[in-house]
Amino acid sequence: MTVRPEDRPTRRVSVVDTTLRDGEQAPGNAMEPDEKVEMAQRIEALGVDVVEAAFPASSPRDFEATRLIAQTLKRARLATFSRTTRQDVEVAVEAGGTGNHEVQLVATGSEIHLEHKRGITREQAVREVTDTVGFARALGVRHVSVGIEDASRGSDDLVRALCDGALDAGADCVILADTTGCATPEEFGALVAKVRAWAPRPVRLSTHCHNDFGLSLANAVAGLVAGADEVQVTLGGIGERGGNTPLEELAALLAYKGGRYGLHTDIDTAGMYEAYTALRRVIRLEEPRNKPIFGRYAFGTTAGIHQQGILSNPATYEYVEPARFGRERALLIGRHSGRTILRHLLDQLGVGTTDEQFTELYHRYITGREGSDSEDLAVVRDRLARELAGG
């Protein structure tokens, strides 16, 4: 018997949401502690495994946000961001405690960062990691992860030394960061496969991919296929420069194609858009038009050919189903709409027309429209109803 890809057993992907840390540190995305608490609750409700709250040592606001979120989370694990210094870890533990807290340390993972950002040697970088991981464990932190920054540009020798040092000191998770978004899926998958061989399970292997080439999702999935257990994401993909792996795109891809990859998540896809709408309100983010899943017109069209197909059977142009993601289909009237949508409106109104009347209406409501703006179907239907009623 042939087993279809969608019927194959799948492996659950762990999801770390870093909207409140990496997403928030990008220009224009700053949040107050109470706003972070609201978003942490919404993000936890989506089913993520870990909520990364903040960089507690960076500011009093981040410290307070961490403290409040640590008291708020009911199921998901709290994560914080720290440099490889004892002082940062002490502050993080003071804010978030040790019971349900993953201390995430950032290690210097490429030669260009060693020389031009830090001005330290490889040996010093490894010593920082081993010392700080050991210190965190001595404080009672059960989960310590080491994020290897710029790992996609680091040499094998450096990445291996950092990985080995972290695990020997007691870390239980290694995060591979494509910090500049420079990797391709083939390159990132190969990196993950190498590190997976150096750090076999039960060590967690996580991906942190940026979107500078628009490849963050593809790289994250390549990493999962190569052996990673976890993906770091943000709502809407917000984050430094081009952003991070978008939670909604990962969840959508695995909802439809997870069988082919042997992967699934437990993310509540129907609740994501409401959470994203709340995030947009909090950080005053303009609504994108064409962003996958969350774009204003991700499930909307003015094209007559598309509308004709959708009215006959939505599957003609909707591979991704809007209701599955808390969205609604939008058929809009514009200059590119066809005769089918006008007939649809007239049928809804229960109105018949002669060929001559129909042609006149088609010209005025469709082809003769001024400008390029489109209108909602219901708005046009109401105006058409008033006209046909003589009002």
Side-chain angles (χ1 to χ4, degrees):
M1 182 178 69
T2 301
V3 179
R4 299 177 301 170
E6 58 269 28
D7 294 332
R8 293 173 185 160
T10 59
R11 171 167 57 91
R12 182 181 178 278
V13 174
S14 176
V15 177
V16 176
D17 189 282
T18 182
T19 302
L20 306 180
R21 200 278 301 171
D22 200 329
E24 194 239 8
Q25 73 185 28
N29 293 348
M31 298 177 234
E32 293 298 323
D34 62 325
E35 294 172 328
K36 280 196 170 190
V37 170
E38 176 195 348
M39 290 310 307
Q41 292 172 320
R42 291 180 179 275
I43 291 166
E44 181 184 39
L46 296 178
V48 305
D49 298 270
V50 181
V51 176
E52 187 177 6
F55 178 3
S58 67
S59 71
R61 279 188 172 87
D62 270 25
F63 181 94
E64 180 64 6
T66 301
R67 188 184 67 82
L68 293 173
I69 292 171
Q71 297 172 359
T72 298
L73 295 178
K74 295 180 172 57
R75 179 195 51 78
R77 184 184 301 161
L78 168 78
T80 56
F81 182 90
S82 293
R83 294 164 295 189
T84 45
T85 71
R86 292 188 174 200
Q87 182 179 3
D88 275 15
V89 172
E90 283 182 322
V91 173
V93 169
E94 183 183 352
T98 60
N100 186 41
H101 182 185
E102 179 170 333
V103 172
Q104 179 178 296
L105 306 173
V106 59
T108 306
S110 70
E111 282 73 10
I112 190 171
H113 277 218
L114 285 176
E115 179 180 357
H116 296 285
K117 188 182 79 169
R118 298 292 314 284
I120 61 175
T121 66
R122 176 186 304 178
E123 292 72 25
Q124 286 174 306
V126 174
R127 280 200 303 271
E128 285 181 348
V129 168
T130 57
D131 178 74
T132 313
V133 170
F135 180 72
R137 294 286 289 167
L139 291 178
V141 178
R142 292 176 54 202
H143 298 287
V144 180
S145 57
V146 173
I148 302 180
E149 186 179 21
D150 207 28
S152 49
R153 292 194 294 174
S155 68
D156 284 359
D157 288 347
L158 175 57
V159 174
R160 177 71 186 266
L162 291 168
C163 180
D164 288 348
L167 298 181
D168 289 345
D172 61 350
C173 177
V174 174
I175 305 160
L176 295 174
D178 182 29
T179 302
T180 63
C182 68
T184 65
E186 295 79 11
E187 291 168 336
F188 195 73
L191 172 63
V192 170
K194 281 186 289 193
V195 177
R196 180 81 284 174
W198 305 336
R201 294 182 175 94
V203 174
R204 273 182 300 124
L205 189 54
S206 188
T207 71
H208 182 100
C209 299
H210 280 264
N211 205 35
D212 298 68
F213 281 147
L215 292 173
S216 63
L217 176 63
N219 286 340
V221 172
L224 289 169
V225 171
D229 309 288
E230 186 173 85
V231 179
Q232 296 203 350
V233 299
T234 61
L235 266 175
I238 67 168
E240 291 286 357
R241 303 179 315 279
N244 293 52
T245 304
L247 170 61
E248 67 281 3
E249 293 179 23
L250 174 75
L253 179 65
L254 296 188
Y256 284 93
K257 298 289 188 178
R260 292 191 171 274
Y261 294 114
L263 304 166
H264 75 274
T265 73
D266 291 336
I267 297 300
D268 172 19
T269 57
M272 292 188 301
Y273 185 65
E274 182 179 353
Y276 175 65
T277 301
L279 175 66
R280 283 185 45 242
R281 169 180 53 78
V282 167
I283 64 174
R284 296 167 292 283
L285 180 67
E286 292 184 9
E287 184 178 22
R289 290 184 183 178
N290 66 332
K291 182 172 176 51
I293 312 301
F294 286 165
R296 183 177 182 183
Y297 299 127
F299 300 102
T301 181
T302 62
I305 294 174
H306 288 224
Q307 292 174 342
Q308 181 179 3
I310 288 171
L311 287 171
S312 174
N313 181 345
T316 53
Y317 286 97
E318 286 180 1
Y319 183 79
V320 178
E321 303 150 295
R324 192 167 186 174
F325 299 95
R327 305 297 308 277
E328 294 182 359
R329 178 182 308 118
L331 301 180
L332 299 118
I333 304 296
R335 289 188 294 109
H336 300 293
S337 300
R339 295 175 182 272
T340 298
I341 197 68
L342 181 58
R343 290 194 180 96
H344 174 70
L345 288 173
L346 292 170
D347 287 344
Q348 285 187 325
L349 295 172
V351 174
T353 62
T354 65
D355 289 346
E356 184 178 351
Q357 289 172 324
F358 183 87
T359 299
E360 170 61 19
L361 290 172
Y362 179 66
H363 172 71
R364 286 195 291 110
Y365 279 86
I366 309 293
T367 61
R369 298 176 67 87
E370 295 184 1
S372 58
D373 287 345
S374 56
E375 290 183 287
D376 184 83
L377 201 66
V379 173
V380 177
R381 183 177 59 237
D382 289 346
R383 190 163 67 248
L384 182 60
R386 289 194 301 269
E387 177 182 338
L388 295 174

